[in-house]
Amino acid sequence: MIDARLFLNRLFEEAVRAADPYEAIKAHLPAPPKGRTVVVGAGKAASQMAAAFEKLWKHPFSGTVVARHGPIEQCETITVLQSAHPVPDEAGLAASDALLKAVAGLTADDLVIALISGGGSALLPAPPEGLTLADEIAVNKALLASGAPISAMNVVRKHVSRIKGGRLAAAAFPARVVSLVVSDVPGDNPAFVASGPTVPDRSMAAEALEIVARYRMELPDQVVTHLRSEAAAAPDPDNPRFAAHECHVVASASVSLEAAAAKARELGIEAHILSDAIEGEARDIGRMHAALAREVALRDRPFGKPVVLLSGGETTVTISGKDYGKGGRNSEFLLSLALDIDGVSGIDALAADTDGIDGSEDNAGAFANGQSIARMRAAGIDPRLHLTRHDAWSAFDVSGDLFVPGPTGTNVNDFRALLIR
C-alpha cells in the first residue's frame, strides 16, 4: 500500500532538490579575475541563485539581479530588483536599465557572472528605439495566447529588445562573461532561456516575422515595421566580442527527472522517463499521457504495473475566445488527462511547474485520479466546459485537487508523474 499523493509529492520535491541553485552553481564557478567581479541575472530563480552565489564566492563582487514580484531570497551584497511575470511592467523597464548600467564601462580584466533562469523574458522588457513598453506588452500577450512553443516565442522576443539575444553580454565587452543557466526549455538550449540576454544565437528577424505569421499573431504595426528593419538584427554569435565567453547549463529538466526516477525506485516503484522535452498543446499532451496510462492500467503494456511514468518539457495553451478563466498549462494538461481516465482505477497523476507557480494563481499544478471528474460533477460543475474555457484552476479548486507547494526557488519547467498500480 502507498499513499499516492504523498508519493508523487516526494518525487516532485526530489526533482526540485536536484535543481537546487547552490549545488548547481557550486560546480561551475570560474576562477576570480584580476579586476572586478560583477553579477547580473534574471529569472524566477534569480534571488535564490544570487543568494547561493554569495555563499560560494570568496572574493569581492557587486551585483544586481531581477526576480518576479513576490517572496524572494534575501541577499547581503547583490541588489534584488523585482518586476512582473508573465506580463511586463514599468519596474521591468527600470530593472533592464539597471542591468545594462551594471555592465557598462568594464575592462578586459573584469568578469561578469550572469545568473539566468526561466521567466527572464517577461522580467526584462527593454523595447528598442521607436517602440514602447505598451508595444512589448502587446507582443508578450500575443505570444502567450498564440500556442507557439517557447523556442519560437523567444525568437520573436529577442528581436524586439535592447537586452535579449546576447545584447547584455555585448554591452559588457571587453569584460569576460560566464553565464550559469538554470534551463526551463526543452532541449536545454541556453540561448532560449530568458531569451538569452547573455547568449546570442543564429536566429534572424525574418524568422521572427515568419513565426508571427504562422501563429497569426496580431502585433502593433510599429512592431512589425521594426521587425522588418535592420535595427531588429540580433548580435552574431561569431562576433569576436563573444569569443572568451562561457556558458554552462547548471540545472535542467533531464537532471531533475533522473533524480525523481531514482527516488521512485528507492521507494519501491519502477520508473520510466518518457521525455524531458515534450512540447505541444497542453490538452493534447494530456490525452496522450492518459492513453498511455490506461494502456498500462488495463493491459499491463508497454510497462508492467506498478510503475511511475515521468515527463518534462513545456506544453502550451492556445487561448481561444475572450471568455476564459483561471489556470496554467499544467492544470490544463491534467484536466484533459482527468477527463480521459474518468472512472479508471489505479491511476494517480501530478502535473506541476517546478517553480511552484502554474499560470497566474498560487498553485504549482494539481493532482488527478479516476475519481477527479466525478468530484467536479458532484460539486456542480461541467469539467469539459472548464477545459474549453481554459479554467482548469477552478475545476481542481472545487474538487480539492490543487497542488500548492509555494515558490521553489528554481525553474526547470513542467514536471509530470503518473503512478499506475
Side-chain angles (χ1 to χ4, degrees):
M1 296 296 292
I2 188 170
D3 184 316
R5 290 198 178 188
L6 179 60
F7 173 82
L8 294 170
N9 186 50
R10 290 188 70 178
L11 300 193
F12 176 82
E13 291 176 343
E14 195 65 23
V16 169
R17 188 175 296 112
D20 175 71
Y22 182 89
E23 293 299 329
I25 291 173
K26 183 179 180 180
H28 295 90
L29 284 177
K34 294 180 181 178
R36 299 170 54 198
T37 298
V38 177
V39 179
V40 293
K44 295 176 181 177
S47 68
Q48 289 80 6
M49 294 179 77
F53 176 87
E54 287 192 339
K55 294 175 183 176
L56 292 164
W57 194 251
K58 305 305 180 184
H59 314 278
F61 66 95
S62 61
T64 303
V65 301
V66 187
R68 68 183 293 174
H69 292 305
I72 58 172
E73 195 79 13
Q74 296 301 311
C75 295
E76 295 182 2
T77 302
I78 297 172
T79 300
V80 181
L81 304 176
Q82 293 180 270
S83 61
H85 182 282
V87 178
D89 64 359
E90 290 280 354
L93 277 179
S96 294
D97 288 340
L99 294 192
L100 288 166
K101 183 179 179 181
V103 301
L106 299 179
T107 73
D109 289 332
D110 298 327
L111 170 67
V112 174
I113 297 180
L115 307 175
I116 307 298
S117 57
S121 295
L123 298 175
L124 294 178
E129 185 176 353
L131 300 182
T132 66
L133 176 62
D135 293 326
E136 191 156 347
I137 289 173
V139 170
N140 212 58
K141 287 183 175 179
L143 290 170
L144 292 173
S146 70
I150 188 64
S151 56
M153 288 188 190
N154 287 350
V155 168
V156 177
R157 285 169 170 152
K158 66 182 59 181
H159 289 93
V160 192
S161 177
R162 292 182 293 111
I163 198 168
K164 301 177 176 73
R167 291 177 178 86
L168 180 60
F173 184 80
R176 177 168 168 254
V177 178
V178 175
S179 299
L180 306 180
V181 180
V182 173
S183 172
D184 69 332
V185 299
D188 297 330
N189 184 339
F192 291 153
V193 181
S195 301
T198 58
V199 185
D201 75 348
R202 300 189 188 283
S203 64
M204 303 178 69
E207 184 180 349
L209 283 166
E210 189 276 328
I211 290 167
V212 170
R214 187 194 322 162
Y215 292 95
R216 300 179 181 179
M217 300 179 203
E218 295 185 7
L219 301 182
D221 291 342
Q222 57 270 28
V223 172
V224 176
T225 298
H226 170 78
L227 287 171
R228 289 173 176 160
S229 72
E230 292 184 2
D236 186 332
D238 293 331
N239 190 304
R241 65 177 55 199
F242 300 119
H245 293 193
E246 292 181 22
C247 181
H248 304 280
V249 175
V250 300
S252 69
S254 177
V255 173
S256 288
L257 290 174
E258 290 287 357
K263 173 57 69 173
R265 295 180 186 118
E266 178 186 318
L267 295 172
I269 303 293
E270 184 52 59
H272 295 279
I273 297 172
L274 303 179
S275 172
D276 67 351
I278 293 177
E279 296 181 285
E281 196 68 26
R283 65 182 63 190
D284 295 337
I285 302 302
R287 298 200 70 182
M288 179 271 286
H289 280 67
L292 183 55
R294 289 199 314 271
E295 193 72 12
V296 175
L298 301 176
R299 296 184 176 88
D300 251 356
R301 66 183 190 193
F303 307 108
K305 303 188 294 284
V307 67
V308 63
L309 306 181
L310 301 165
S311 71
E314 182 170 12
T315 62
T316 53
V317 175
T318 304
I319 301 296
S320 53
K322 296 182 179 179
D323 180 26
Y324 55 89
K326 302 175 182 179
R329 61 181 183 267
N330 287 286
S331 302
E332 181 147 329
F333 160 91
L334 204 64
L335 183 55
S336 177
L337 178 144
L339 283 161
D340 277 16
I341 64 168
D342 184 26
V344 180
S345 61
I347 302 174
D348 290 271
L350 168 64
D353 196 315
T354 51
D355 71 359
I357 302 294
D358 184 39
S360 59
E361 305 306 310
D362 64 352
N363 65 309
F367 295 99
N369 58 27
Q371 292 74 51
S372 293
I373 297 302
R375 289 195 293 273
M376 293 173 190
R377 289 177 175 144
I381 70 165
D382 179 350
R384 289 197 182 278
L385 178 60
H386 278 259
L387 182 61
T388 300
R389 295 188 59 245
H390 309 292
D391 195 19
W393 182 92
S394 298
F396 285 118
D397 184 41
V398 300
S399 67
D401 291 327
L402 291 175
F403 176 52
V404 189
T408 64
T410 192
N411 181 22
V412 290
N413 231 319
D414 300 342
F415 173 86
R416 296 178 289 267
L418 280 66
L419 173 62
I420 308 155
R421 297 174 286 171

